[in-house]
Structures are given as C-alpha cells and as structure tokens.
Amino acid sequence: MTDATAKNSTDIPDSVFVELTSTFGLGEVRERRYLADGLMNENWKVDTAAGVFALKRVTDVSHDRLVRNLGVLDSLASDGIPASAPVPTASGSLVAEVGGGVWCLFPWVTGSHLRGVDLSLSQAASLGVHLGRLHEGLDRARDKGMLPAVPETVPADVTTPKRAVEKAERLSGAVGNKGACTGFDVAAMAALEQRRVLISKHAGRRPQSGVPAGRHGWTHGDVQYRNLLWEGGDLAAILDWDRVGVRPYAEEVVRTAQVQFGVDGVFDLARVSEFVRGYRSVVPLETSALADGARRLWWKRMTDFWQLEFHYDRGKFSFDDLFTADEALLHWWTERLDQVEDAFAAG
C-alpha cells in the first residue's frame, strides 16, 4: 500500500482507535494516515511501537466470510504467493469487531500500484504466472479443508436484452429526477441512450449458454492494479482478499486483464496476450474458455450499470470516474469484439 495519496484522517473516533490498538497489541502509535486509494473499504497506514501496519475497515463482506478468506493466506504465503497473512488480535482472531466496524490488520508492504502500460510486457506475463499460481494455491487450500468443496457447475446469469434496456430506462428516469444537470448527469443520460441502442444492435452476439466454458474453482475475485503492489520490478503483494469465491477461471483472467490493461478507453492487446500466456504456462486453460470468458464479460459490461446505481440509487460518487472510463472502453471493445477475443486466444 502506497501512501502517496494519504492524508490525515479523523474517520476513526479516538475511543475506537484506542480499543483497536489494544486489541491488536500495537503499543504506542506514532502516526496514523488515511489512504484515499480505496473504493469500497477504508484503509489506514499505522506506524506503531510494534511496527508499521495497514489497518483495514471492511464494509461490504460478512464477518464469517472474511474470517474464512483470511484464513487461507498463511497457506498461500507458504506456497510462495505474495500474500501477507493478517496480524491476529491478542485473542488469536483474524478479525476484530470494534465500534460497530469489522477490522483486520496486515504488515505494511512497500510498493507501487502499476496500471496498464506501466507494466512491461515481461511484467504482464509475470502477473499471469502469479494469477495461475494463486489459483493453484487456493485449490491446495481447499484440499487442506480450508475452503469448501467446489460445485460441479457454476451457472452464469446472462442478462436478457429486455431486462438490460429496462434497467437503462429506469436509470434515465433517476438521472432526470435526481440529477442536478451537472456534466456527469449529462454524460450519464447520453451514455444510457447510446447503451440502449448498442444492446439492441448487438443482442445476437450475447452468450447463449448459462454455463461458462472451461474449468472453475476458488479465485481471488478482484485481482487488479489497486490490489497489487510492485517493488523493484517484481510483484510484492496481492491485497484485499474480501471476495474470494468460486468462479470460472476464465472469468478472473479476463476481468483482471480488462481492469489492468483496459486503459484510456482502449485495450492494450499486446499486454493482454502476454498476461494470458503467463497464466496458461501455469494453468492450461483452453482457448475456447478464454474466448467464452471474454464474450461474457463484454456482455456483462454492456448490460451492467453498477456505477450509475451507486451514484443515483445510493448517493455514492466514488465510482463516477470508473463509469466514464468503462463506457469509453465498452464502445472501443464492441467495435473490435473479435480482435479482443483473438488476443485472449493468442496468449
């Protein structure tokens, strides 16, 4: 976790922070700094007598699921995967419930978040290797009984064009009712109108099966540049294990490539291919599964409006920039659908 965007924070009440330092046995605290990078959870860098740590308040995962997920990190680290095991509380728990919040603590890892073209081609391939090893490591954790068995199939919901258009129309109404005629409101309204046209035009290219192709198993769920730290050219840490779950492997490969290498409204297809090549050197995933995964993610992006739902339904604006960037990428991707899928198959 870098502290380049850190700022002083008053988000933790003093009484809660005192209890947290006691719960984790941190001793004297020299500095506490809020990290503004996070989108869902809240993070602080804490410099204490016991060392330097990352303190995390988890806001969108249940306590039991978080404890289960954090429990596999020791096993992954022993496999050579750059995953830092959490610091237990004085009572041995991996999670602390204090002040109405759910908290966990990790040793501080020095590094930088690198996106897209900031990675060399060899680093892109290395990231693919790390993802393959992560999947293998989670599979071994399952064999040790640390994760539940994997079901035989993992059905995937394919949003119908009718349902997608209905969502777009509802959000258009929300923009009209709740918007303040800002630049974002104008862009959102135009994007929703364009999206309805795209959905109708390309409905026949959507996935036809409710069962994804290829292998599936336990996955991280959010491997992307905000959750990766690089140091000296190497991957130093994979962060944020909140969303560990069973998914098609191709889904995680394609999603990671999209978030990592979909920059400024275009895919860096050379890095996509290198990333996939690195992954397949560890996990021999079929090209048909990767093409299927790419098509499914494209249709999901086409029919999903989650950033706008956060903005207009929940009054949360943290994801506004993501919507703007993803919208540009969706249009570029749609015009080059076969080319993008060929890049995944070429890896």
Side-chain angles (χ1 to χ4, degrees):
M1 293 145 216
T2 62
D3 58 358
T5 57
K7 62 182 180 182
N8 292 332
S9 171
T10 57
D11 290 346
I12 307 177
D14 288 342
S15 60
V16 172
F17 190 68
V18 168
E19 186 174 350
L20 282 168
T21 58
S22 175
T23 298
F24 285 108
L26 299 181
E28 178 189 359
V29 177
R30 304 185 182 99
E31 185 180 19
R32 176 175 100 223
R33 303 185 70 191
Y34 179 69
L35 305 177
D37 302 41
L39 294 177
M40 298 294 285
N41 302 303
E42 298 172 322
N43 301 277
W44 289 261
K45 180 181 181 181
V46 184
D47 186 350
T48 77
V52 183
F53 302 94
L55 175 65
K56 178 175 182 178
R57 181 175 183 266
V58 180
T59 60
D60 62 339
V61 176
S62 70
H63 175 277
D64 290 347
R65 182 177 179 183
L66 181 61
V67 170
R68 182 203 70 187
N69 293 353
L70 297 181
V72 306
L73 298 187
D74 255 336
S75 176
L76 295 178
S78 68
D79 283 343
I81 295 164
S84 296
V87 178
T89 66
S91 64
S93 174
L94 301 181
V95 174
E97 293 186 87
V98 176
V102 178
W103 308 81
C104 47
L105 188 74
F106 297 89
W108 184 261
V109 180
T110 301
S112 301
H113 302 291
L114 301 180
R115 186 180 183 186
V117 294
D118 294 331
L119 293 182
S120 67
L121 290 174
S122 63
Q123 285 176 312
S126 174
L127 179 58
V129 170
H130 279 291
L131 183 61
R133 291 174 177 167
L134 189 160
H135 288 169
E136 289 189 330
L138 288 171
D139 198 45
R140 283 189 288 272
R142 182 212 62 196
D143 288 341
K144 296 174 184 177
M146 304 175 76
L147 293 169
V150 175
E152 289 188 10
T153 60
V154 181
D157 179 42
V158 179
T159 302
T160 65
K162 180 177 182 294
R163 181 153 59 100
V165 169
E166 289 172 349
K167 288 166 63 177
E169 290 173 344
R170 183 191 70 78
L171 281 165
S172 291
V175 177
N177 293 331
K178 299 181 181 180
C181 293
T182 65
F184 183 83
D185 295 328
V186 172
M189 187 68 83
L192 287 165
E193 182 177 348
Q194 293 171 352
R195 193 81 73 88
R196 290 194 292 271
V197 173
L198 283 178
I199 290 168
S200 298
K201 180 178 179 180
H202 298 285
R205 306 175 81 179
R206 71 187 186 277
Q208 299 301 312
S209 172
V211 179
R215 296 172 54 190
H216 61 274
W218 286 96
T219 62
H220 178 281
D222 197 19
V223 177
Q224 44 103 344
Y225 68 97
R226 295 182 186 87
N227 293 333
L228 301 173
L229 287 175
W230 296 82
E231 180 74 4
D234 297 323
L235 186 62
I238 302 172
L239 311 174
D240 283 357
W241 296 84
D242 311 341
R243 294 174 178 79
V244 171
V246 175
R247 300 175 182 86
Y249 287 150
E251 176 182 319
E252 179 141 274
V253 171
V254 174
R255 181 185 182 275
T256 298
Q258 183 249 303
V259 181
Q260 188 73 35
F261 305 115
V263 179
D264 296 332
V266 302
F267 260 124
D268 188 318
L269 296 181
R271 283 170 173 77
V272 167
S273 293
E274 284 301 299
F275 166 72
V276 174
R277 181 183 63 79
Y279 179 84
R280 295 180 74 198
S281 71
V282 179
V283 179
L285 198 59
E286 305 93 331
T287 56
S288 58
L290 289 161
D292 180 72
R295 182 64 61 97
R296 287 179 188 279
L297 185 61
W298 165 76
W299 184 249
K300 181 177 180 180
R301 297 292 185 248
M302 178 75 76
T303 59
D304 191 17
F305 308 92
W306 68 271
Q307 299 103 328
L308 295 184
E309 289 168 347
F310 267 87
H311 184 106
Y312 293 104
D313 295 344
R314 304 189 191 186
K316 296 183 178 181
F317 313 128
S318 302
F319 309 104
D320 290 359
D321 289 343
L322 287 184
F323 176 76
T324 304
D326 286 354
E327 198 67 18
L329 179 63
L330 174 64
H331 285 266
W332 186 93
W333 191 349
T334 301
E335 293 172 0
R336 301 164 178 80
L337 193 57
D338 294 336
Q339 184 180 348
V340 173
E341 291 173 13
D342 287 346
F344 280 99

